[in-house]
Amino acid sequence: MKTVFLISLIAFAIGIFAGSSSAQTRINFARGATSAVVSGTLKGYKDHKTYVIRVRKGQSLSTESIGKNHITIIVKAPPGSHYEQDMAADCHDQNDVSPTVSGEYRVTVTECLKADAYRGRFSFRVRVR
């Protein structure tokens, strides 16, 4: 009985870690570029897409929605950062992190809860200088 429980627990843990790592997409810039356009599709209010970008210490990281559909862009800084996102009354589709700490920044996109649902494509620009 203990063996079955232990095997089930290990399989569950592997499934969680495998699912979380594959749910993120790395943002890469073309050589020499300081910005990139990221696009994706959302299936409703409960859906989200998560991106990861590596930034060096002292740079500036900014995001802005450039598509026609309203999105919320949440930026989570790595440990050691003092960045706190301004959660004003808008859709939170623009962020400016400056200066940055070195590490992986997680960018999560959802449909804006303050706008009409659309279930479709979104686009945003991310800049690092």
Side-chain angles (χ1 to χ4, degrees):
M1 185 69 170
K2 286 183 182 180
T3 305
V4 171
F5 177 73
L6 185 59
I7 291 172
S8 299
L9 185 61
I10 291 171
F12 178 73
I14 289 171
I16 287 177
F17 289 119
S20 64
S21 66
S22 66
Q24 300 175 10
T25 302
R26 180 153 306 273
I27 297 173
N28 294 311
F29 293 156
R31 186 173 193 88
T34 59
S35 71
V37 173
V38 180
S39 298
T41 303
L42 295 171
K43 298 176 184 163
Y45 281 133
K46 294 184 180 182
D47 194 15
H48 69 278
K49 299 292 182 207
T50 302
Y51 302 89
V52 177
I53 184 167
R54 179 169 262 313
V55 179
R56 292 189 306 260
K57 179 181 179 181
Q59 292 184 308
S60 295
L61 169 69
S62 65
T63 64
E64 65 176 320
S65 175
I66 59 172
K68 64 178 182 166
N69 291 322
H70 298 285
I71 58 174
T72 297
I73 304 172
I74 300 167
V75 176
K76 183 167 191 258
S81 174
H82 298 290
Y83 174 72
E84 289 188 35
Q85 187 167 353
D86 179 19
M87 299 306 273
D90 61 2
C91 283
H92 319 297
D93 62 348
Q94 294 184 346
N95 296 281
D96 291 302
V97 183
S98 182
T100 58
V101 297
S102 180
E104 302 272 324
Y105 284 75
R106 186 175 321 267
V107 179
T108 303
V109 179
T110 63
E111 283 190 28
C112 177
L113 297 177
K114 298 169 184 165
D116 293 333
Y118 61 86
R119 293 183 178 178
R121 298 215 28 97
F122 65 85
S123 295
F124 70 96
R125 181 181 315 280
V126 60
R127 284 189 173 91
V128 176
R129 291 177 273 196

